Amino acid sequence: MFLSGGGVVINRGLIISDNYEPLVVIGDRCALATNISIIADSNPNNSLLKDLKSVESCIFSKPVILESDVWVGANAIILGGVRIAEGSIIGAGALVNKDTEPYCVYAGVPIRKLRKLKDF
């Protein structure tokens, strides 16, 4: 994990799966609630499943970028290859499986855009 700036608030229970590589970037002034999972790397480790063709698409190692001023609610799951844009708000329990637009609110499994913040 790489914290790119100051003012980041990380509450307890943050899980980062990144295979000990710097795949996760967290921008300035981000607020991460409790029990968030960021899955930047996923594989079956030593299991024989790793050799199955049908499992290949499930194995990945992709960066996750949280731009500045992102707010992520409790129990959210963020998958690899996602960029959460500046000023995005992610609702509690959301599954973030795609990029977001700046200054918008997202929620759901998988996420969907609820609205754009009126101030921007």
Side-chain angles (χ1 to χ4, degrees):
M1 176 177 63
F2 173 74
L3 297 176
S4 64
V8 174
V9 176
I10 297 175
N11 285 285
R12 67 190 167 116
L14 174 65
I15 296 171
I16 296 178
S17 174
D18 62 1
N19 200 27
Y20 306 104
E21 297 178 41
L23 294 173
V24 177
V25 175
I26 299 175
D28 297 342
R29 299 171 304 278
C30 288
L32 305 180
T34 57
N35 300 323
I36 293 171
S37 296
I38 300 175
I39 313 299
D41 180 85
S42 183
N43 63 72
N45 298 312
N46 295 327
S47 169
L48 293 178
L49 290 172
K50 71 183 181 324
D51 300 325
L52 298 177
K53 285 274 189 210
S54 58
V55 175
E56 282 181 5
S57 64
C58 300
I59 298 171
F60 64 86
S61 186
K62 300 177 184 175
V64 173
I65 299 170
L66 280 66
E67 294 181 354
S68 295
D69 301 303
V70 166
W71 176 14
V72 181
N75 299 308
I77 299 171
I78 303 168
L79 299 180
V82 166
R83 176 182 294 268
I84 300 180
E86 180 176 2
S88 292
I89 299 173
I90 307 298
L95 173 64
V96 184
N97 64 337
K98 60 186 175 186
D99 294 351
T100 67
E101 297 173 27
Y103 297 98
C104 291
V105 179
Y106 293 83
V109 178
I111 59 164
R112 64 183 176 85
K113 184 167 81 170
L114 300 180
R115 65 184 172 94
K116 185 156 181 67
L117 297 174
K118 292 181 182 179
D119 299 343
F120 292 91

